Amino acid sequence: MSQLTRPNIDEIPAIRPRRTISGMSAILLPLLSGTEIDWEGFRGHVTRTADAGLVPAVNMDTGYANLISESQREQVLAETQSLMDGQPYVAGVFVKDDPDAAFDFDAYRTGLDQILKYGGTPIIFQSYGLTEQADDDIVEAYAKIGSHAGDFLGFELGKMFAPFGKIYSLDVYKGLMGIETCRGAKHSSLSRELEWQRLRLRDETRPDFKVLTGNDLAIDMVMYGSDYLLGLSTFAPEAFARRDAMWAAGDAGFYELNDILQYLGFLAFRDPVPAYKHNAAQFLHARGWIKTPLTYPGSPERPESDVAILQNILDRISE
């Protein structure tokens, strides 16, 4: 199945008004200094996200999953389990490897077991060993993960986010939908066309499968049938929840609020894309939700001049 054929307008999935949107939000891991985590800020952020009606997703890219230590990763899970008190949350399984590495199921199993211990639903970060396999072997790897973990979420990640990422062929995507325990997959290509293809395939093949948009440059993909797991929503989970409720109610105010949130997305997710996490820290600090606007060492930064623009957006969201 080719991914390269651009659809004409008649082939785009229909807009689905009044649909109930399922929202998941990647939680920023805030810092006090250096690598010292602001646990009070983290707890407040998880709680506000859940209270808004979004499912918190921890140890994601927004939570510096590829940079934090194993002990920090486990403390994130323990804190989240305590806060959620049996309510659902998602957590990333990250396996660090190198190009040309073999698929390391044992490392994934360790990450899965850690998340299951703390009551989370795993979402599978890609790795070189996973994505450099042949298509059939990639699907088999996910099937093996599902056999061990039970319900899980897949994750396609474009290389603008991480060098080990890969956007799968539609054949692989269809294979993922054939795994009963794979309940959905986050799609982070930043391409409407590729996501529309997945929505059409989902509707034809497995309607209960969640296409979780990770397109922070097109957050209106929810109008076409996508749900979401976004880093952008970490800036303002309550505004995303309000937008989603407007869509479900048939309130045209959805469009104006979506436009403001998309303006924030265009600012935060400009090159270099991973620096959006610093914008998130600047924004949440401006809100008084976290103690500093620091970003984790090794993550790119934004200029201080962004703060005035972010404050203007915050004022507009809060009106």
Side-chain angles (χ1 to χ4, degrees), residues 109-309:
R109 181 170 53 196
T110 297
L112 292 167
D113 289 344
Q114 185 183 62
I115 292 168
L116 296 174
K117 172 185 174 182
Y118 291 100
T121 297
I123 182 168
I124 310 304
F125 270 81
Q126 293 168 317
S127 61
Y128 291 107
L130 175 60
T131 61
E132 290 180 353
Q133 301 177 99
D135 282 2
D136 288 347
D137 293 330
I138 291 173
V139 175
E140 178 57 34
Y142 281 105
K144 193 172 183 180
I145 285 169
S147 294
H148 180 77
D151 288 354
F152 74 97
L153 298 170
F155 191 175
E156 298 177 281
L157 192 63
K159 291 190 182 298
M160 75 289 288
F161 291 103
F164 51 78
K166 182 177 182 178
I167 302 302
Y168 294 132
S169 70
L170 286 179
D171 288 326
V172 169
Y173 200 84
K174 187 173 183 179
L176 290 179
M177 288 193 294
I179 301 169
E180 183 179 356
T181 52
C182 185
R183 299 303 183 180
K186 175 174 164 67
H187 179 75
S188 292
S189 69
L190 303 182
S191 164
R192 287 182 183 272
E193 287 81 5
L194 294 179
E195 193 165 328
W196 281 328
Q197 289 177 4
R198 281 150 178 75
L199 287 170
R200 287 196 299 271
L201 185 62
R202 185 274 306 275
D203 293 345
E204 295 166 358
T205 305
R206 186 178 164 187
D208 69 323
F209 189 87
K210 288 189 181 300
V211 177
L212 296 166
T213 187
N215 191 343
D216 301 273
L217 302 181
I219 60 172
D220 65 352
M221 287 300 298
V222 295
M223 298 192 307
Y224 301 93
S226 293
D227 293 295
Y228 65 88
L229 199 175
L230 292 169
L232 181 60
S233 55
T234 207
F235 291 67
E238 81 295 347
F240 271 84
R242 190 164 75 249
R243 179 204 69 155
D244 299 348
M246 288 175 175
W247 187 252
D251 183 345
F254 167 93
Y255 292 98
E256 183 175 356
L257 181 52
N258 189 82
D259 286 347
I260 298 169
L261 293 171
Q262 189 60 85
Y263 172 38
L264 176 59
F266 285 145
L267 174 70
F269 284 79
R270 69 192 191 272
D271 287 335
V273 171
Y276 81 86
K277 287 167 280 190
H278 189 208
N279 276 150
Q282 291 173 322
F283 195 83
L284 296 182
H285 182 250
R287 304 194 76 170
W289 288 6
I290 60 176
K291 291 185 171 65
T292 79
L294 296 174
T295 190
Y296 204 91
S299 184
E301 298 183 357
R302 294 292 192 210
E304 181 66 20
S305 56
D306 275 15
V307 174
I309 306 172

Side-chain angles (χ1 to χ4, degrees), residues 4 15 89 112 293:
L4 303 178
I15 288 176
Y89 76 93
L112 292 167

